[in-house]
Amino acid sequence: MDDQARIMQSIGGVSLAGHSVQGGMALPHGHDGTDGDGRKQDIGDILHQIMTITDQSLDEAQAKKHGLNCHRMKPALFSVLCEIKEKTGLSIRGAQEEDPPDPQLMRLDNMLLAEGVAGPEKGGGSAAAAAAAAASGGAADNSIEHSDYRAKLTQIRQIYHTELEKYEQACNEFTTHVMNLLREQSRTRPISPKEIERMVGIIHRKFSSIQMQLKQSTCEAVMILRSRFLDARRKRRNFSKQATEILNEYFYSHLSNPYPSEEAKEELAKKCSITVSQVGSPSSVTRFSIVSNWFGNKRIRYKKNIGKFQEEANLYAAKTAVNAAHAAAAAVQNSQANSPTTPNSGSSGCFSLTHSGDMFLSMQSLNGASYQGAQVGANVQAQVDTLRHVISRTAGYNDALGGNTMYSPRGINTNGGWQDATTPSSVISATEGPGSVHSDTSN
DNA sequence: AATTATGATTCACG
DNA sequence: CGTGAATCATAATT
């Protein structure tokens, strides 16, 4: 290489410039140059040497090579040959010069990024889990067995990165090697820098295609992992105790109309820390719909067998009442003084009211309701109303006591369906030993 | 092992 | 589209 530079330099003054400008064309005409004979002679000489060089011993060849390199005509020939080669080669390439961003590759990249395999290393935890948690509201992911998943994911991630690095390194090594080789050979072969560049491009493309394979298989691995661990749609995981508590509280304190609004669901989901943990396929199921599922199941199951839930209802009613004791009580009292009644808000009373004696209890539950309301920011009014209703209802119930329907009549038509369902109270009292255990019996 | 509890899914309805 | 109802499939309990 040094030789090369030196030679080029030393002879540069002679004719290199001229060649580079119109070299390709000049060559043919060069024959008629003033010093045509000498040049011809030289060329013949050189050609002869080239032809015979392979037969020589190594040393001789080396010597000759050096001789050739030092020849004053060498650079000129070289550049001319380069240009000719350039011209012929140009047609071949050019088409594939630019590599458009492969959509496939982009997809893979995106996915790896989303799964947390690519992207910046996060300490310990899998980026995927973090991302998922963040996406779903950021509650703590109560995944215990998810650690398994995360471990595997980390493993994949590590493999991916080491492999990627390896490829990168290999690519670089190979590239420099080839470049060196080409540069070396460019002393004896017509290889232009441009061509080297092109070669490098080709190499990079090759390696990137290999990388794509790596990415693809990584993606596959992640998918398999996912499907095995998280995706098992039917893999049921019970909610945490806390979560069911919260849901139940809401349910029983809104028993009259246990249809949480979107916001309420959102709120509940957040509160319950319901996150990815039970969402197998995040795309299809959101934690939001988990709450919906829960309420759907709860409603129907409650309705199906109210008696069975009596206990639970009382329990939660009491609980909420206790929890909210002060606030709720105060609120209720205050409101009691001045509120107009709006019949309808309904009552949580449905369950606890079962028996007349339950007034107290019902009140409690009511309080629970009001508490909840307060939490959400509901108005006092509603609480009052509910209270009144309960009371009136109890009264009504007393009347109807002998019969069945405990409070059925009160069905606020709006939610008649739900209310109606509760109607078969007779069932309750009949089947309900348990109910009586609590509060029933009394009168 | 049988039973119950429970979360999720499917389907029909309005 | 959100529900209710039926159903599935698994977790928990007996």
Side-chain angles (χ1 to χ4, degrees), chain A residues 8 13 15 46 54 78 149 172 190 207 259 292 352 390 398:
Chain A
M8 296 290 251
S15 59
I46 293 168
T54 52
F78 178 81
Y149 169 79
N172 285 338
F207 270 92
Y259 298 86
S292 299
S352 53
V390 173
N398 277 341

Side-chain angles (χ1 to χ4, degrees), chain A residues 10-188:
Chain A
S10 64
I11 309 194
V14 178
S15 59
L16 190 56
H19 276 301
S20 66
V21 173
Q22 53 177 153
M25 316 281 284
L27 183 57
H29 305 293
H31 285 290
D32 333 296
T34 49
D35 54 351
D37 283 355
R39 196 178 274 188
K40 231 184 225 168
Q41 189 63 26
D42 286 345
I43 293 174
D45 229 21
I46 293 168
L47 284 178
H48 179 253
Q49 288 185 43
I50 290 174
M51 294 300 287
T52 56
I53 196 165
T54 52
D55 298 335
Q56 312 298 321
S57 74
L58 212 62
D59 285 345
E60 272 177 47
Q62 207 64 31
K64 289 212 167 171
K65 195 169 144 196
H66 188 255
L68 272 177
N69 278 338
C70 290
H71 195 278
R72 65 189 181 91
M73 287 308 295
K74 192 257 178 187
L77 268 175
F78 178 81
S79 74
V80 167
L81 284 174
C82 271
E83 283 177 51
I84 292 173
K85 192 175 174 186
E86 184 83 12
K87 286 229 162 96
T88 51
L90 212 78
S91 55
I92 299 172
R93 74 190 124 108
Q96 52 174 348
E97 199 58 78
E98 328 246 322
D99 51 327
D102 188 353
Q104 170 88 359
L105 183 70
M106 281 180 55
R107 248 196 9 221
L108 290 175
D109 274 340
N110 285 340
M111 183 184 158
L112 288 175
L113 211 61
E115 294 299 330
V117 176
E121 176 82 39
K122 294 230 183 154
S126 86
S136 60
D141 200 4
N142 59 344
S143 55
I144 298 161
E145 67 274 9
H146 274 59
S147 58
D148 208 3
Y149 169 79
R150 301 209 312 205
K152 298 249 185 206
L153 193 66
T154 314
Q155 205 175 321
I156 289 178
R157 182 196 168 86
Q158 264 169 0
I159 292 174
Y160 171 76
H161 277 119
T162 43
E163 287 298 305
L164 203 63
E165 205 170 318
K166 225 192 301 181
Y167 287 160
E168 203 82 42
Q169 196 179 335
C171 178
N172 285 338
E173 270 175 26
F174 191 67
T175 303
T176 50
H177 180 248
V178 167
M179 275 174 67
N180 285 340
L181 211 63
L182 287 179
R183 252 182 246 150
E184 182 89 19
Q185 292 196 356
S186 71
R187 280 194 290 182
T188 54

Side-chain angles (χ1 to χ4, degrees), chain A residues 358-421:
Chain A
D358 287 352
M359 246 286 252
F360 176 61
L361 240 188
S362 65
M363 298 266 282
Q364 277 188 323
S365 69
L366 187 47
N367 287 348
S370 58
Y371 165 61
Q372 202 73 353
Q375 249 189 343
V376 181
N379 53 6
V380 181
Q381 191 104 3
Q383 303 164 3
V384 180
D385 295 342
T386 49
L387 180 61
R388 298 213 166 164
H389 279 303
V390 173
I391 294 171
S392 65
R393 197 174 311 140
T394 23
Y397 172 74
N398 277 341
D399 295 348
L401 183 75
N404 32 3
T405 67
M406 69 162 147
Y407 94 88
S408 60
R410 191 62 226 109
I412 292 62
N413 290 343
T414 31
N415 25 12
W418 175 246
Q419 297 288 2
D420 286 351

Side-chain angles (χ1 to χ4, degrees), chain A residues 198-240:
Chain A
R198 191 175 124 246
M199 209 58 203
V200 169
I202 291 173
I203 293 170
H204 281 180
R205 265 197 290 280
K206 280 284 178 223
F207 270 92
S208 77
S209 85
I210 292 174
Q211 277 191 4
M212 197 169 89
Q213 282 183 358
L214 171 68
K215 283 173 181 174
Q216 189 148 15
S217 54
T218 305
C219 274
E220 274 171 29
V222 171
M223 290 311 269
I224 290 171
L225 187 68
R226 265 187 101 74
S227 67
R228 185 157 338 136
F229 277 83
L230 296 177
D231 199 38
R233 300 188 317 173
R234 294 277 184 184
K235 203 78 172 173
R236 217 192 80 237
R237 306 186 57 234
N238 287 351
F239 297 157
S240 70

